[in-house]
């Protein structure tokens, strides 16, 4: 499986080390086969109770991207990129379809127990609380998405600077969904900044 730029898939380490946020992209469409290959990896992301609340809305239509750019306060990377993915969490869809999340290898009795336990737990939370819980899981998939894109030769930039209500309107999303990010992606036209990150002493504590 070749990347868009080098003909080789990057190792996980190389994908993480080489990833920078990019805001200017080559004007070249991304083959759907590449996008499917990336999301075949992303869908393997782990989640508590295997609930998989993430949903991905991939926008390549020029007019829709213009609308998204307006919702993102005019940020040029939205239309510079050949594709934009909106990463959301939809816990209400998960709860409405809980049996789909239960492992098929379990006995029927265990499956029913799992669904009953999950229903009891989440029905004890408000829609807002369920949404925030699901968002923590969607953020796991977001990290894997950024790594997978880089591994296959596509640069990206995760964004939260946008009017969420406008994006819901543009894409016809339910009011209850939570946004993990808007992610323009494509082949980089310009280099990103070098990494500026805290040292391990700042972020890692041993106990």
């Amino acid at each position: 499986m070749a990347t868009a730029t080098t003909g080789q898939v990057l190792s996980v380490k190389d994908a993480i080390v080489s990833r920078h946020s990019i805001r200017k992209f080559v004007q070249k469409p991304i083959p759907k086969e590449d996008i499917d290959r990336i999301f075949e990896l992303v869908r393997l992301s782990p989640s508590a109770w295997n609930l998989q609340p993430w949903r991905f809305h991939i926008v390549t239509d020029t007019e829709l991207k213009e609308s998204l750019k307006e919702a993102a306060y005019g940020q040029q990377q939205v239309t510079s990129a050949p594709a934009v993915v909106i990463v959301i969490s939809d816990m209400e869809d998960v709860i409405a379809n809980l049996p789909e999340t239960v492992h098929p290898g379990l006995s029927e009795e265990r499956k029913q127990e799992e669904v009953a336990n999950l229903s009891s737990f989440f029905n004890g939370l408000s829609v807002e609380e369920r949404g925030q819980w699901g968002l923590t899981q969607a953020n796991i998939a977001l990290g894997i998405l950024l790594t997978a894109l880089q591994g296959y030769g596509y640069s990206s930039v995760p964004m939260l600077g946008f009017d969420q209500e406008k994006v819901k309107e543009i894409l016809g999303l339910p009011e209850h969904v939570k946004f993990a990010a808007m992610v323009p992606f494509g082949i980089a036209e310009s280099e990103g900044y070098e990494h500026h990150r805290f040292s391990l002493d700042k972020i890692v504590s041993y106990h």
Side-chain angles (χ1 to χ4, degrees):
M1 290 183 248
T3 69
T5 54
T6 66
Q8 296 181 341
V9 176
L10 299 180
S11 69
V12 173
K13 176 184 176 181
D14 287 344
I16 292 171
V17 169
S18 64
R19 207 209 74 80
H20 302 274
S21 287
I22 298 296
R23 293 171 174 81
K24 192 172 183 181
F25 299 89
V26 174
Q27 298 301 301
K28 180 179 179 182
I30 301 172
K32 184 177 182 297
E33 294 78 8
D34 282 8
I35 297 176
D36 287 345
R37 189 176 295 133
I38 288 162
F39 280 93
E40 280 292 338
L41 294 179
V42 176
R43 74 183 185 90
L44 299 177
S45 303
S47 59
W49 290 309
N50 197 39
L51 294 187
Q52 308 165 68
W54 43 73
R55 303 291 184 266
F56 307 96
H57 294 265
I58 301 166
V59 180
T60 57
D61 179 80
T62 300
E63 290 186 8
L64 274 181
K65 286 193 296 176
E66 286 288 349
S67 296
L68 289 177
K69 183 176 81 168
E70 182 179 346
Y73 314 114
Q75 295 183 75
Q76 296 295 324
Q77 60 263 35
V78 178
T79 49
S80 175
V84 179
V85 56
I86 310 297
V87 184
I88 66 167
S89 168
D90 189 344
M91 278 301 294
E92 301 312 295
D93 181 59
V94 170
I95 292 167
N97 299 282
L98 279 174
E100 296 178 355
T101 69
V102 179
H103 198 283
L106 296 178
S107 67
E108 286 305 313
E109 182 179 2
R110 281 288 308 283
K111 289 178 184 177
Q112 292 176 14
E113 288 177 359
E114 286 285 318
V115 171
N117 289 337
L118 290 169
S119 295
S120 176
F121 176 76
F122 285 107
N123 285 330
L125 302 178
S126 68
V127 172
E128 175 66 21
E129 288 169 333
R130 291 195 292 259
Q132 287 300 129
W133 186 94
L135 183 58
T136 65
Q137 307 302 303
N139 282 326
I140 297 171
L142 171 60
I144 290 178
L145 168 63
L146 298 176
T147 305
L149 285 168
Q150 189 72 19
Y152 280 109
Y154 293 103
S155 296
S156 62
V157 52
M159 303 167 51
L160 274 174
F162 55 90
D163 184 324
Q164 297 189 4
E165 295 306 313
K166 283 188 178 178
V167 173
K168 288 177 186 177
E169 181 181 346
I170 291 165
L171 298 181
L173 301 176
E175 180 60 31
H176 61 259
V177 302
K178 298 293 183 181
F179 290 90
M182 177 187 295
V183 184
F185 66 98
I187 298 173
E189 183 174 298
S190 59
E191 298 262 342
Y193 292 109
E194 289 297 316
H195 288 145
H196 172 62
R197 299 292 190 268
F198 293 133
S199 68
L200 290 186
D201 289 344
K202 172 79 171 180
I203 64 172
V204 177
S205 299
Y206 290 91
H207 301 275

